Structures are given as structure tokens and as C-alpha cells.
Amino acid sequence: MRILCVYYSWKGHTAKVAERLADLLHVEPVRIEPAVESGMFSKAMKALLGWSSPIKPVKEDLTDIDVLVLASPVWAGKVPPYVNEYINRMSMCEGKRCYVLVEMGASGAERAIAHLKGRLENKGMKLAGSTFTIEKEVDEDLVYEHLISFVETIHGKTIVLV
Ligand SMILES: Cc1cc2nc3c(=O)[nH]c(=O)nc-3n(C[C@H](O)[C@H](O)[C@H](O)COP(=O)(O)O)c2cc1C
């Protein structure tokens, strides 16, 4: 099973989670990076409105991929505009399975996952699983076992750590 693990992170929490996830999945994580940085107000408004913002070139052709794992922070109960842009750009993803993980301060995971589900299904993908992490728990390194369970869901089998 060929897995692509893609994430966006501004302050590093989603990066930390995605890197651990990718490590457990034995793949190299791919980071979505903004082409231009914008101010906080613009970030929040674009997220709230479900808009997109330009990103740097990144792997977006999923021809050689079976499963997409996408990790994103929750912004305004949705996701950053760079994540929307990445989904817009994805190609050859029809019929493929995807899993999403959202990382948040306190609330909004369900809405953000519903938002991503809609966007990914519009691209013809099937959301096969989702989960969330909380900033404070990421800071305190309390999410590792949760990530193992998520990876087991993705692989459909129990992981034995050696
Ligand atoms: C513009 C903006 C909007 C946010 N909106 C929410 C929100 O609706 N709910 C929430 O729990 N956290 C919200 N957060 C907090 C982030 O989800 C949280 O800090 C997360 O850990 C950030 O991930 P990162 O460190 O990978 O950037 C928001 C952060 C930003 C910058």
C-alpha cells in the first residue's frame, strides 16, 4: 500500500503529529507551504470562508499513491486556506481512500473534518477514517498511543513496536 502523508502546520503542532504519523507509516511526510505569508486576520477570514491561498510546488499528482493521509490544524472551525488549495490541486485521486487528522486548540474538530470530507469527496475520494489531536496534549507528548491506533486503522492491523 503506497501512502502519501501530507500536512500543513504554522506553529509546529501539526508538523510534530504528522512527522510521528509518517514515521509510524514508514513514509516521508510532505509539507504544504504557503507561497506568501499573510496576516492573522486574513488567515482566519480565508479559513472561515473556505477560501484558498497559493502554495509552493508540492506533490499533488496521486497517480502512484493508494492512500492519502492529510493532517491539518483547525482554523475557524475549518482548515487553513493552504490546505484547501492543496486539495484543489490534487489530481489522479478519484476513487482513492483518504484519512484525515485535525489538530486544534480546543474545539471545532468535527466541523473541520466535515469540511475536509466534503472537499475530498468532491475530488472523488473516500474518507475512510478521521481523528483529532489537541494542542496541549501534543505539547505534553501525550498523543503517541492515539497515533498508533490511527495508524492501525489505516493499515487495518495491529502494530507491534520493537
Ligand atoms: C487563524 C487561526 C484560527 C484558529 N481556529 C481554531 C478553532 O476554530 N478551534 C481551535 O480549537 N483552534 C483554533 N486555532 C488553534 C490551532 O488549531 C492550534 O493552535 C493548532 O495547534 C495549530 O497547529 P500548528 O501548530 O500546526 O499551526 C486557530 C489558530 C489560528 C492561527
Side-chain angles (χ1 to χ4, degrees):
M1 185 165 70
R2 296 157 305 174
I3 299 173
L4 178 65
C5 179
V6 182
Y7 72 97
Y8 167 73
S9 179
W10 187 29
K11 297 291 186 184
H13 296 87
T14 318
K16 187 171 168 182
V17 170
E19 279 159 16
R20 290 215 155 163
L21 203 50
D23 194 42
L24 288 166
L25 290 164
H26 304 296
V27 296
E28 274 300 311
V30 172
R31 188 172 189 146
I32 299 167
E33 294 190 61
V36 210
E37 274 300 342
S38 53
M40 182 69 173
F41 180 74
S42 167
K43 281 182 162 69
M45 282 309 290
K46 284 183 173 174
L48 184 65
L49 296 169
W51 288 5
S52 303
S53 284
I55 56 174
K56 292 184 181 167
V58 63
K59 180 173 174 59
E60 56 204 28
D61 179 348
L62 271 58
T63 302
D64 57 346
I65 295 298
D66 302 308
V67 174
L68 172 73
V69 178
L70 176 63
S72 169
V74 174
W75 278 13
K78 293 186 180 167
V79 299
Y82 319 111
V83 176
N84 291 326
E85 176 67 10
Y86 180 74
I87 295 173
N88 288 346
R89 287 197 192 190
M90 284 188 325
S91 62
M92 304 308 287
C93 51
E94 295 82 2
K96 295 185 177 175
R97 262 191 306 147
C98 59
Y99 293 83
V100 300
L101 179 149
V102 293
E103 151 60 26
M104 66 177 175
S107 65
E110 277 182 24
R111 273 187 63 203
I113 289 168
H115 169 87
L116 286 172
K117 182 174 190 282
R119 296 278 169 131
L120 291 162
E121 286 180 354
N122 278 344
K123 299 289 290 194
M125 299 194 85
K126 296 171 194 156
L127 184 65
S130 61
T131 194
F132 67 88
T133 52
I134 299 172
E135 190 178 335
K136 188 170 178 293
E137 293 181 354
V138 173
D139 283 336
E140 292 172 3
D141 271 332
L142 298 175
V143 298
Y144 194 55
E145 287 189 6
H146 182 62
L147 296 182
I148 291 173
S149 304
F150 191 48
V151 168
E152 287 174 344
T153 307
I154 296 168
H155 278 312
K157 64 181 181 198
T158 304
I159 296 175
V160 179
L161 294 173
V162 285

